[in-house]
Structure formats: structure tokens, C-alpha cells
């Protein structure tokens, strides 16, 4: 079931990129920009949690 969800997410991302770049759909581009910003926030949170964990362990 997990593999199916991963494949569906990849297929959706590819379709979104095709719609945004090939068909030049502005809504699709805005959605890609939003997803990029969400990904950066996720990366920052993971990094911050890692730093907190290091500080908590006293390293």
C-alpha cells in the first residue's frame, strides 16, 4: 500500500510539472511554487529539530 502511495505522489508531481511547463498553466506554477516553499519549511524544521536533539544530548 505504501508503494502505491509513493507511486501516486510521483505520478502527480510529474503531471503537475508537465501541466506547468508544457501547457504554461499559471495555477499549476503557483502550486509548484507553494510546494517548493513547503518543502523548504520542512527542511528547516528537520534541521532545527536535529539541532535541538544535539543540544538536548549535550553534544
Amino acid at each position: 500500500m505504501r508503494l502505491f502511495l509513493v507511486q501516486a505522489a510521483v505520478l502527480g508531481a510529474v503531471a503537475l510539472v508537465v501541466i506547468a511547463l508544457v501547457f504554461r498553466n499559471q495555477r499549476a506554477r503557483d502550486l509548484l511554487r507553494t510546494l517548493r516553499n513547503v518543502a523548504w519549511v520542512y527542511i528547516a524544521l528537520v534541521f532545527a529539530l536535529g539541532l535541538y536533539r544535539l543540544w538536548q544530548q549535550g553534544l
Side-chain angles (χ1 to χ4, degrees), residues 5-51:
L5 293 175
V6 170
Q7 288 175 341
V10 169
L11 181 63
V14 169
L16 186 61
V17 168
V18 168
I19 292 169
L21 297 179
V22 174
F23 298 112
R24 300 192 185 274
N25 187 327
Q26 188 61 38
R27 255 182 104 185
R29 286 184 185 211
D30 292 341
L31 184 56
L32 281 174
R33 192 173 295 117
T34 301
L35 290 174
R36 181 194 64 199
N37 292 339
V38 167
W40 278 114
V41 169
Y42 176 77
I43 290 168
L45 284 173
V46 167
F47 185 72
L49 286 173
L51 287 176

